[in-house]
Amino acid sequence: MVRVRFAPSPTGPLHIGGVRTALYNYLFARKHNGTFILRIEDTDQTRYVEGAEEYIFESLDWCGIKVDEGVREGGPYGPYRQSDRKNIYRQYAEFLINKGHAYYAFDTPEELEMLRKKYESQKKTFLYNAEVRNELKNSLSLPEQQWKEMINSGIPYVIRYRMPVNEEISFDDLIRGHITVNSSTLDDKVLFKSDGMPTYHLANIVDDHLMKITHVIRGEEWLPSLPLHVMLYRSFEWEAPLFAHLPLILKPDGKGKLSKRDGDKMGFPVFPLYWPYGETARGYREDGYYPEAFVNMLALLGWNPGTEQEIFSMEELIKEFSLERIHKAGSRFDPVKARWFNHVWLQKRSNNQLAHEFSEIIKGKGYSCDIARLETLVGLIKERVDFVKDMWDEAYFFFSPPESYDSDALRKKWNEESPLLLAEVSNLLRKIEDFTPVNLEKNVREWIEKKGCNSGTIMHALRIAVVGKLKGPGIFDIISWLGKDETLNRIEKALATIVQQS
Ligand code: GLU
């Protein structure tokens, strides 16, 4: 039975890399009819940020990633917030001490800092490990009676893992393959802090064990911690879950990890949602992305289906997803491609949905329009945009006649024949009852043919008169939408204004 977890720390807005980790866990769980757990890892109280936990929930909700067990959902292995599990961890740290795998250490932060500085001045790195631990203040170096007295008299201490000397730590990662590390290169990590809280390492292992996690799927930045985690499983005599470390998401130029600050620098969001606290940051949702597009893009940042297919719904992702097809190498984030995904997902929406979305923008501009007419309109322009918010630029001229006429267009496409032809076409349009694009086009083309005039001249003149410039969808679609009265008014106004202008 597959049980996976997403275990974010609420230290600020969730980076898109974190959302991808959640997504891959979710896809894997769903694919195997397993359970997706959301565990909040908030043992580092100095890094706790107000609002961050809510932000995580809201981000997952927005993406359509449904949690089976978690802080809000509850479940048989709760609580799912580590600060609410505070009382669980000490016994495990003490178990390790009793087994000789851990020890109490009394060195103050100041003493350790001095040692670090001393080592640095000799161009060495200070590691709290087997080589030095006997010279430091801990329950391995001090006489038993002394360290017990220190504990009883309330002197602050931490509990450190006693990393064995020269042991081969071998393990497999589902993405990275086989890895071997010598234990002598590792230090004695703190498992339990003087504030009575476990560190990430201890809480993470204990919780993964108690929550019966089968696969740990997480970011590559946790790979260096894996040897310690493997050692902890050994020391507890617990069976370790399987591990899969996901590749980094890289900057668009491929040079280094996509950082929290890159979004502002490079002009695209690196967070799913707008972050409203302190240093605010933009989000995909507020930038106008559809969650389907965002999820689709994230899924392909580090995984490929082994086919040419690029557009996937959540259901399709669940069907196709496999850990085997996750890349080892980092994935370059491509902001242009991100927009493209939204473009494609926008085309998949019904005109009715788009009309309702666009209707909000129209209202904001001070216009109103019934949904049926908006449906036709969005059908004409949707191919030209990546986002609904960009529709206005493609559609403003449907709502108000041109205030001026583009001088470039006039210079290039308006000639002495234009006014007369336009006046004649206006008379023709006046007589047409069936104002559908097809019928309009048929009548105008027949008229051009009969008259033997230059079709370019009249079409450009018509567009300049109605739109104000040489842009927009098909001219017959535009005038059909505007209707006879509006079209004739615009032509009349153009004729009066442009003749005056020239
Ligand atoms: N709390 C860790 C984080 O913030 C979780 C790492 C893990 O999944 O083990 O990413």
Side-chain angles (χ1 to χ4, degrees):
M1 204 43 191
V2 164
R3 288 179 59 82
V4 292
R5 84 309 192 267
F6 175 50
S9 298
T11 53
L14 188 62
H15 183 264
I16 56 171
V19 186
R20 189 194 57 175
T21 300
L23 175 65
Y24 285 10
N25 273 284
Y26 174 72
L27 296 175
F28 186 72
R30 283 291 172 275
K31 164 119 193 174
H32 298 282
N33 289 320
T35 305
F36 173 65
I37 296 150
L38 174 61
R39 183 173 72 223
I40 298 294
E41 300 208 325
D42 59 346
T43 55
D44 189 349
Q45 300 194 315
T46 58
R47 294 183 63 215
Y48 184 83
V49 171
E50 203 65 51
E53 199 177 294
E54 273 308 314
Y55 183 95
I56 292 166
F57 300 153
E58 210 180 319
S59 300
L60 299 189
D61 288 347
W62 181 64
C63 292
I65 298 175
K66 294 184 198 74
V67 175
D68 300 314
E69 294 174 23
V71 173
R72 288 178 306 175
E73 297 73 14
Y77 300 93
Y80 292 91
R81 186 188 285 113
Q82 287 184 329
S83 57
D84 296 336
R85 302 170 65 77
K86 194 175 165 196
N87 297 332
I88 296 178
Y89 306 108
R90 179 182 285 274
Q91 57 187 296
Y92 290 97
E94 280 168 2
F95 170 89
L96 291 178
I97 291 182
N98 293 337
K99 288 267 179 188
H101 295 306
Y103 58 90
Y104 299 104
F106 303 90
D107 320 85
T108 64
E110 295 73 28
E111 287 164 350
L112 293 174
E113 189 50 34
M114 266 174 50
L115 278 167
R116 240 170 253 130
K117 289 231 172 82
K118 191 176 134 203
Y119 273 66
E120 231 169 69
S121 70
Q122 298 164 6
K123 304 240 178 304
K124 289 194 288 190
T125 313
F126 171 68
L127 288 183
Y128 204 119
N129 60 12
E131 247 176 69
V132 299
R133 67 168 82 103
N134 285 335
E135 290 141 41
L136 297 166
K137 269 202 264 164
N138 54 57
S139 58
L140 299 176
S141 62
L142 301 170
E144 183 166 341
Q145 197 197 343
Q146 190 181 344
W147 63 256
K148 282 195 168 155
E149 261 169 37
M150 289 169 87
I151 290 182
N152 289 338
S153 62
I155 292 183
Y157 63 86
V158 299
I159 297 176
R160 283 182 183 271
Y161 185 66
R162 183 182 189 176
M163 187 57 80
V165 182
N166 204 17
E167 210 174 283
E168 292 292 310
I169 314 175
S170 277
F171 49 88
D172 289 300
D173 182 89
L174 294 171
I175 295 164
R176 308 261 133 194
H178 193 71
I179 301 171
T180 304
V181 176
N182 188 294
S183 64
S184 295
T185 60
L186 305 171
D187 60 344
D188 293 353
K189 280 274 180 301
V190 174
L191 300 178
F192 204 83
K193 295 176 285 183
S194 54
D195 65 0
M197 278 291 223
T199 58
Y200 153 72
H201 301 295
L202 179 68
N204 189 269
I205 270 42
V206 167
D207 286 348
D208 281 350
H209 173 72
L210 295 179
M211 294 181 182
K212 299 201 162 47
I213 299 302
T214 56
H215 297 72
V216 169
I217 304 168
R218 63 183 172 193
E220 187 178 285
E221 65 272 27
W222 299 103
L223 198 55
S225 302
L226 189 50
L228 168 66
H229 294 180
V230 170
M231 287 308 290
L232 282 168
Y233 279 104
R234 283 192 203 166
S235 303
F236 280 121
E237 294 169 31
W238 290 338
E239 194 189 330
L242 297 172
F243 293 98
H245 285 83
L246 306 175
L248 294 175
I249 298 180
L250 305 176
K251 292 183 204 300
D253 63 7
K255 292 188 187 134
K257 181 176 155 173
L258 184 66
S259 82
K260 296 201 171 193
R261 308 216 165 263
D262 286 337
D264 286 338
K265 270 192 256 154
M266 300 183 194
F268 55 81
V270 291
F271 301 107
L273 317 177
Y274 174 67
W275 173 256
Y277 309 104
E279 213 177 307
T280 60
R282 53 201 271 212
Y284 279 85
R285 182 176 66 184
E286 290 72 16
D287 267 28
Y289 282 82
Y290 292 119
E292 294 89 344
F294 178 65
V295 163
N296 193 162
M297 167 202 79
L298 275 188
L300 290 169
L301 266 182
W303 169 83
N304 77 79
T307 64
E308 295 293 298
Q309 186 178 345
E310 288 191 283
I311 300 304
F312 290 89
S313 66
M314 190 68 101
E315 286 312 307
E316 290 170 310
L317 286 171
I318 290 170
K319 224 166 113 228
E320 298 300 326
F321 187 75
S322 73
L323 292 177
E324 291 75 46
R325 301 211 75 95
I326 292 176
H327 314 156
K328 274 201 189 72
S331 302
R332 225 183 251 229
F333 178 77
D334 180 350
V336 178
K337 192 83 192 215
R339 295 177 66 96
W340 176 81
F341 276 111
N342 207 65
H343 177 87
V344 174
W345 277 95
L346 188 145
Q347 311 309 313
K348 283 168 160 292
R349 285 175 106 71
S350 72
N351 287 351
N352 184 269
Q353 279 174 311
L354 290 171
H356 280 102
E357 291 165 32
F358 189 40
S359 155
E360 293 305 308
I361 293 175
I362 308 257
K363 274 186 213 145
K365 300 283 179 190
Y367 295 97
S368 71
C369 179
D370 66 65
I371 289 295
R373 265 170 73 65
L374 274 188
E375 278 183 37
T376 312
L377 177 51
V378 295
L380 298 179
I381 55 172
K382 65 180 180 184
E383 265 176 44
R384 299 161 174 265
V385 299
D386 298 334
F387 302 97
V388 168
K389 65 176 184 208
D390 294 344
M391 282 186 171
W392 181 252
D393 281 347
E394 300 298 328
Y396 63 88
F397 52 84
F398 284 91
F399 296 91
S400 60
E403 271 159 26
S404 64
Y405 301 90
D406 183 50
S407 53
D408 234 27
L410 287 177
R411 191 160 35 76
K412 287 191 201 132
K413 304 290 181 191
W414 187 271
N415 57 43
E416 58 280 15
E417 285 180 10
S418 303
L420 198 62
L421 287 175
L422 199 52
E424 284 186 37
V425 112
S426 172
N427 283 332
L428 172 73
L429 296 175
R430 195 183 307 278
K431 283 185 239 130
I432 299 176
E433 286 305 324
D434 174 7
F435 229 63
T436 56
V438 178
N439 192 51
L440 287 167
E441 174 152 21
K442 181 170 158 279
N443 278 272
V444 173
R445 295 248 179 246
E446 275 170 12
W447 175 79
I448 292 173
E449 191 120 325
K450 236 195 288 158
K451 203 166 163 63
C453 63
N454 183 308
S455 113
T457 304
I458 182 61
M459 295 303 218
H460 288 313
L462 198 50
R463 185 175 289 277
I464 291 171
V466 169
V467 178
K469 47 173 81 169
L470 298 173
K471 68 174 270 182
I475 186 64
F476 298 110
D477 289 317
I478 300 176
I479 59 180
S480 167
W481 194 89
L482 291 174
K484 194 189 280 186
D485 289 349
E486 178 67 12
T487 304
L488 296 181
N489 285 344
R490 288 193 185 188
I491 294 176
E492 198 178 317
K493 184 180 166 199
L495 284 171
T497 320
I498 299 173
V499 171
Q500 263 174 25
Q501 259 184 19
S502 42

